[in-house]
Amino acid sequence: MATAESTNPTALSAPVARAAAAPSIQVAAPSRREFLYYIWGASIALLLGQASAGLIWFAFPRFKEGEFGGAFAFNPEELPGVGAAPTSVPAGRFHVTQTSEGLRALYGVCTHLGCLPKWVPTNGRFECPCHGSKFQLSGTWIEGPAPRNLDIFIATVTYADGTTVETPAEGGAIPLDADREITSIQIDTGARIIGDLHP
Ligand code: FES
């Protein structure tokens, strides 16, 4: 039996008529000006992304503890006596020395052309094997083509009472208090003070 809907010709033809009446959709190609705007916008986004990545890179430490460029825990028991041969830490490229002025962490790279001066016990000084520059236990230049004293890393000494002393910002030694126990010494190989030029 035919239903009223199937036999009504207008009910079948209405959707067909709407479809026929719908406008066709056409996608226009971007104009040259729009295309340049897209390129410009993408370039700005790329630059902003690179700048953000750079900020994040500098905001967080890149070196682990005990890795050159980062902080080193130096055992206070290895602190040399006043005037004694330095304690060298090859992984950190520094020498810890103690003079009558106090403690220094000397960067172990020659200020001439970057060779590695060695401590020569018989002469009581650092001597560079490349061009003969020589430095005192304090890092002070003695002779040779090196233009300045050895550079210094910032050290932090912590006493048992919790107080700390740090390498002065202008360089030099940390005076040590012999009456107080040192519980830790930290050397920051990421913080270098450039040695003074010699006269
Ligand atoms: S690199 Fe040390 S004296 Fe030249």
mmCIF file of all heavy atoms in Angstrom, residues 109-117 127-135 143-146, ligand 1:
data_model
loop_
_atom_site.group_PDB
_atom_site.id
_atom_site.type_symbol
_atom_site.label_atom_id
_atom_site.label_comp_id
_atom_site.label_asym_id
_atom_site.label_seq_id
_atom_site.Cartn_x
_atom_site.Cartn_y
_atom_site.Cartn_z
ATOM 1 N N VAL A 109 94.604 27.714 33.115
ATOM 2 C CA VAL A 109 94.906 27.949 31.705
ATOM 3 C C VAL A 109 95.716 29.236 31.567
ATOM 4 O O VAL A 109 95.361 30.283 32.130
ATOM 5 C CB VAL A 109 93.599 28.035 30.877
ATOM 6 C CG1 VAL A 109 93.883 28.459 29.449
ATOM 7 C CG2 VAL A 109 92.884 26.690 30.890
ATOM 8 N N CYS A 110 96.813 29.141 30.830
ATOM 9 C CA CYS A 110 97.716 30.278 30.679
ATOM 10 C C CYS A 110 97.011 31.462 30.026
ATOM 11 O O CYS A 110 96.226 31.298 29.079
ATOM 12 C CB CYS A 110 98.916 29.851 29.840
ATOM 13 S SG CYS A 110 100.172 31.144 29.670
ATOM 14 N N THR A 111 97.295 32.638 30.535
ATOM 15 C CA THR A 111 96.654 33.851 29.999
ATOM 16 C C THR A 111 97.348 34.366 28.735
ATOM 17 O O THR A 111 96.963 35.405 28.210
ATOM 18 C CB THR A 111 96.639 34.958 31.073
ATOM 19 O OG1 THR A 111 97.971 35.149 31.554
ATOM 20 C CG2 THR A 111 95.727 34.585 32.221
ATOM 21 N N HIS A 112 98.348 33.605 28.254
ATOM 22 C CA HIS A 112 98.962 33.974 26.973
ATOM 23 C C HIS A 112 98.138 33.354 25.846
ATOM 24 O O HIS A 112 97.262 34.014 25.289
ATOM 25 C CB HIS A 112 100.442 33.527 26.938
ATOM 26 C CG HIS A 112 101.137 33.892 25.671
ATOM 27 N ND1 HIS A 112 102.030 33.050 25.044
ATOM 28 C CD2 HIS A 112 101.063 35.004 24.897
ATOM 29 C CE1 HIS A 112 102.481 33.638 23.944
ATOM 30 N NE2 HIS A 112 101.905 34.823 23.839
ATOM 31 N N LEU A 113 98.378 32.089 25.557
ATOM 32 C CA LEU A 113 97.677 31.461 24.434
ATOM 33 C C LEU A 113 96.967 30.175 24.839
ATOM 34 O O LEU A 113 96.635 29.347 23.985
ATOM 35 C CB LEU A 113 98.654 31.185 23.285
ATOM 36 C CG LEU A 113 99.235 32.440 22.609
ATOM 37 C CD1 LEU A 113 100.251 32.052 21.535
ATOM 38 C CD2 LEU A 113 98.136 33.299 21.997
ATOM 39 N N GLY A 114 96.742 30.009 26.128
ATOM 40 C CA GLY A 114 95.850 28.932 26.554
ATOM 41 C C GLY A 114 96.476 27.585 26.835
ATOM 42 O O GLY A 114 95.747 26.589 26.942
ATOM 43 N N CYS A 115 97.803 27.503 26.965
ATOM 44 C CA CYS A 115 98.403 26.231 27.383
ATOM 45 C C CYS A 115 98.147 26.020 28.880
ATOM 46 O O CYS A 115 97.522 26.858 29.536
ATOM 47 C CB CYS A 115 99.907 26.237 27.094
ATOM 48 S SG CYS A 115 100.284 26.165 25.328
ATOM 49 N N LEU A 116 98.631 24.897 29.397
ATOM 50 C CA LEU A 116 98.349 24.550 30.792
ATOM 51 C C LEU A 116 99.626 24.622 31.624
ATOM 52 O O LEU A 116 100.429 23.680 31.612
ATOM 53 C CB LEU A 116 97.749 23.135 30.862
ATOM 54 C CG LEU A 116 96.479 22.913 30.037
ATOM 55 C CD1 LEU A 116 96.020 21.464 30.147
ATOM 56 C CD2 LEU A 116 95.370 23.867 30.484
ATOM 57 N N PRO A 117 99.829 25.713 32.356
ATOM 58 C CA PRO A 117 101.017 25.800 33.210
ATOM 59 C C PRO A 117 100.984 24.713 34.285
ATOM 60 O O PRO A 117 99.922 24.366 34.790
ATOM 61 C CB PRO A 117 100.892 27.197 33.847
ATOM 62 C CG PRO A 117 99.939 27.944 32.985
ATOM 63 C CD PRO A 117 98.995 26.914 32.429
ATOM 64 N N GLU A 127 104.752 27.050 35.771
ATOM 65 C CA GLU A 127 105.528 27.352 34.571
ATOM 66 C C GLU A 127 104.780 26.815 33.356
ATOM 67 O O GLU A 127 104.322 25.668 33.354
ATOM 68 C CB GLU A 127 106.926 26.720 34.661
ATOM 69 C CG GLU A 127 107.727 27.292 35.826
ATOM 70 C CD GLU A 127 109.158 26.756 35.901
ATOM 71 O OE1 GLU A 127 109.538 25.943 35.023
ATOM 72 O OE2 GLU A 127 109.874 27.158 36.830
ATOM 73 N N CYS A 128 104.646 27.682 32.365
ATOM 74 C CA CYS A 128 103.921 27.279 31.161
ATOM 75 C C CYS A 128 104.886 26.612 30.177
ATOM 76 O O CYS A 128 105.931 27.181 29.845
ATOM 77 C CB CYS A 128 103.257 28.501 30.514
ATOM 78 S SG CYS A 128 102.264 28.042 29.070
ATOM 79 N N PRO A 129 104.539 25.409 29.698
ATOM 80 C CA PRO A 129 105.454 24.681 28.809
ATOM 81 C C PRO A 129 105.533 25.271 27.394
ATOM 82 O O PRO A 129 106.427 24.909 26.638
ATOM 83 C CB PRO A 129 104.853 23.264 28.770
ATOM 84 C CG PRO A 129 103.394 23.481 29.017
ATOM 85 C CD PRO A 129 103.306 24.654 29.938
ATOM 86 N N CYS A 130 104.621 26.141 27.038
ATOM 87 C CA CYS A 130 104.578 26.607 25.640
ATOM 88 C C CYS A 130 105.568 27.737 25.358
ATOM 89 O O CYS A 130 106.404 27.636 24.473
ATOM 90 C CB CYS A 130 103.162 27.026 25.279
ATOM 91 S SG CYS A 130 102.029 25.623 25.237
ATOM 92 N N HIS A 131 105.466 28.831 26.113
ATOM 93 C CA HIS A 131 106.342 29.979 25.823
ATOM 94 C C HIS A 131 107.019 30.504 27.081
ATOM 95 O O HIS A 131 107.527 31.622 27.092
ATOM 96 C CB HIS A 131 105.553 31.103 25.133
ATOM 97 C CG HIS A 131 104.716 30.605 23.996
ATOM 98 N ND1 HIS A 131 103.367 30.383 24.104
ATOM 99 C CD2 HIS A 131 105.060 30.247 22.736
ATOM 100 C CE1 HIS A 131 102.886 29.920 22.960
ATOM 101 N NE2 HIS A 131 103.897 29.822 22.113
ATOM 102 N N GLY A 132 106.937 29.716 28.153
ATOM 103 C CA GLY A 132 107.744 30.020 29.333
ATOM 104 C C GLY A 132 107.184 31.033 30.319
ATOM 105 O O GLY A 132 107.931 31.517 31.167
ATOM 106 N N SER A 133 105.905 31.370 30.250
ATOM 107 C CA SER A 133 105.365 32.288 31.273
ATOM 108 C C SER A 133 105.393 31.596 32.634
ATOM 109 O O SER A 133 105.193 30.382 32.732
ATOM 110 C CB SER A 133 103.927 32.688 30.935
ATOM 111 O OG SER A 133 103.917 33.553 29.821
ATOM 112 N N LYS A 134 105.612 32.392 33.654
ATOM 113 C CA LYS A 134 105.705 31.846 35.016
ATOM 114 C C LYS A 134 104.810 32.665 35.945
ATOM 115 O O LYS A 134 104.656 33.880 35.769
ATOM 116 C CB LYS A 134 107.150 31.866 35.494
ATOM 117 C CG LYS A 134 108.040 30.990 34.614
ATOM 118 C CD LYS A 134 109.504 31.080 34.958
ATOM 119 C CE LYS A 134 110.333 30.163 34.044
ATOM 120 N NZ LYS A 134 110.238 30.490 32.610
ATOM 121 N N PHE A 135 104.229 31.961 36.918
ATOM 122 C CA PHE A 135 103.272 32.590 37.837
ATOM 123 C C PHE A 135 103.540 32.118 39.260
ATOM 124 O O PHE A 135 103.894 30.954 39.490
ATOM 125 C CB PHE A 135 101.833 32.217 37.452
ATOM 126 C CG PHE A 135 101.472 32.502 36.015
ATOM 127 C CD1 PHE A 135 101.705 31.553 35.017
ATOM 128 C CD2 PHE A 135 100.911 33.713 35.648
ATOM 129 C CE1 PHE A 135 101.370 31.801 33.692
ATOM 130 C CE2 PHE A 135 100.568 33.975 34.315
ATOM 131 C CZ PHE A 135 100.806 33.019 33.336
ATOM 132 N N GLU A 143 107.040 36.312 34.882
ATOM 133 C CA GLU A 143 107.749 36.670 33.650
ATOM 134 C C GLU A 143 107.155 35.899 32.479
ATOM 135 O O GLU A 143 106.354 34.985 32.684
ATOM 136 C CB GLU A 143 109.247 36.349 33.782
ATOM 137 C CG GLU A 143 109.539 34.861 33.950
ATOM 138 C CD GLU A 143 111.025 34.571 34.119
ATOM 139 O OE1 GLU A 143 111.723 35.409 34.696
ATOM 140 O OE2 GLU A 143 111.462 33.494 33.674
ATOM 141 N N GLY A 144 107.553 36.278 31.278
ATOM 142 C CA GLY A 144 107.068 35.597 30.082
ATOM 143 C C GLY A 144 106.021 36.425 29.350
ATOM 144 O O GLY A 144 105.657 37.520 29.781
ATOM 145 N N PRO A 145 105.555 35.896 28.198
ATOM 146 C CA PRO A 145 104.665 36.687 27.332
ATOM 147 C C PRO A 145 103.217 36.800 27.816
ATOM 148 O O PRO A 145 102.442 37.535 27.218
ATOM 149 C CB PRO A 145 104.728 35.928 26.004
ATOM 150 C CG PRO A 145 105.045 34.518 26.397
ATOM 151 C CD PRO A 145 105.916 34.602 27.607
ATOM 152 N N ALA A 146 102.830 36.069 28.829
ATOM 153 C CA ALA A 146 101.436 36.186 29.320
ATOM 154 C C ALA A 146 101.172 37.627 29.753
ATOM 155 O O ALA A 146 101.973 38.208 30.493
ATOM 156 C CB ALA A 146 101.194 35.228 30.482
HETATM 157 S S1 FES B 1 100.638 29.834 26.270
HETATM 158 FE FE1 FES B 1 101.650 30.051 28.139
HETATM 159 S S2 FES B 1 103.330 31.276 27.695
HETATM 160 FE FE2 FES B 1 102.329 31.071 25.811
#
